[in-house]
Structures are given as structure tokens and as C-alpha cells.
């Protein structure tokens, strides 16, 4: 689901839950810090982690191209770009040599990762 908000409106938890209803994670983007924040559901799948990383990487690579947009708009754009990646499946990435069963470290308890 795409978020429908007025420019500059605050992003609520309800908005994120609606947007990511079909995902096993929530992702927010701070235009101020140019930083993605990801929360994973307990017992999430490796493909969900891959999708979250893909979306965060898209934001990292593209946010400067859309510096005139607010966080909600750029978050929507990144999610649409992710949804267009129909080939982002375990079978496809494993075909390129990625072993998802051993590639990601999904924490057993709450943790925080920060990329600077």
C-alpha cells in the first residue's frame, strides 16, 4: 500500500503498518539524517531481510536525486521500486550464488544496526 499523506505530515505507526502489511519488516527513512531504520518481525524470513536491505540500499543510492521530496514521498518511491523487483526471490538470488540460509544474521533478540 502506498501512503497518502500531505507533504510534511508526520508518519504514524498506523501508516507504516498499512504500507508494510504484506511484509515482515517496517522501514522508515529520515531525510534529515539520510538514514533508514528497519524493524524486523520475530522469526522473519531471509527473503524479508533481503527485501529490507534492498529497499534501504535503494534509498541510500537515490535519496539525493529526490532531495526536494519529503520522507513519506521518497519512502513511497522506494517501496514502489521494491515491488517492481518481481525477480527478488530466493531461487533467483541463489542462482547467482547467494546462500540465503547462511548469508544473513537474523538476531534472536532485539538489536540495533547502524550504518554510518
Amino acid at each position: 500500500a502506498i501512503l497518502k499523506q500531505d507533504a510534511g505530515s508526520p508518519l504514524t505507526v498506523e501508516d507504516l503498518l498499512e504500507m508494510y502489511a504484506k511484509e515482515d519488516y517496517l522501514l522508515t527513512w529520515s531525510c534529515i539524517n539520510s538514514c533508514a531504520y528497519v524493524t524486523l518481525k520475530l522469526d522473519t524470513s531471509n527473503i524479508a531481510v533481503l527485501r529490507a536491505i534492498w529497499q534501504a540500499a535503494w534509498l541510500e543510492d537515490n535519496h539525493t536525486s529526490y532531495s526536494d521530496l519529503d520522507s513519506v514521498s521518497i519512502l513511497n518511491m522506494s517501496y514502489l521500486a521494491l515491488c517492481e523487483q518481481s525477480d527478488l526471490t530466493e531461487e533467483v538470488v541463489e542462482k547467482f550464488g547467494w546462500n540465503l540460509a547462511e548469508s544473513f544474521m537474523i538476531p534472536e533478540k532485539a538489536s540495533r544496526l547502524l550504518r554510518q
Side-chain angles (χ1 to χ4, degrees):
I2 298 303
L3 298 174
K4 295 181 173 89
Q5 305 240 173
D6 296 327
S9 295
L11 190 61
T12 66
V13 172
E14 290 83 11
D15 295 328
L16 287 172
L17 291 172
E18 179 182 333
M19 181 177 192
Y20 291 101
K22 296 180 181 178
E23 303 291 344
D24 286 341
Y25 69 94
L26 299 176
L27 185 146
T28 60
W29 176 255
S30 169
C31 285
I32 296 169
N33 301 329
S34 299
C35 186
Y37 298 92
V38 177
T39 302
L40 302 171
K41 286 184 181 177
L42 289 176
D43 301 321
T44 193
S45 67
N46 284 323
I47 198 69
V49 175
L50 180 64
R51 289 175 64 83
I53 290 171
W54 190 98
Q55 188 180 3
W58 187 97
L59 285 160
E60 178 68 26
D61 289 344
N62 293 285
H63 76 277
T64 55
S65 301
Y66 304 103
S67 58
D68 57 326
L69 297 179
D70 60 24
S71 293
V72 172
S73 298
I74 197 162
L75 191 61
N76 280 334
M77 289 180 70
S78 70
Y79 191 70
L80 284 172
L82 171 67
C83 291
E84 290 174 0
Q85 297 300 313
S86 60
D87 63 342
L88 193 59
T89 64
E90 288 190 48
E91 294 80 24
V92 170
V93 296
E94 286 175 352
K95 200 182 299 184
F96 288 97
W98 287 70
N99 181 348
L100 294 183
E102 297 177 10
S103 297
F104 297 118
M105 292 178 22
I106 300 175
E108 293 181 15
K109 59 180 182 164
S111 67
R112 183 174 179 173
L113 300 174
L114 178 63
R115 178 181 172 210
Q116 296 198 11

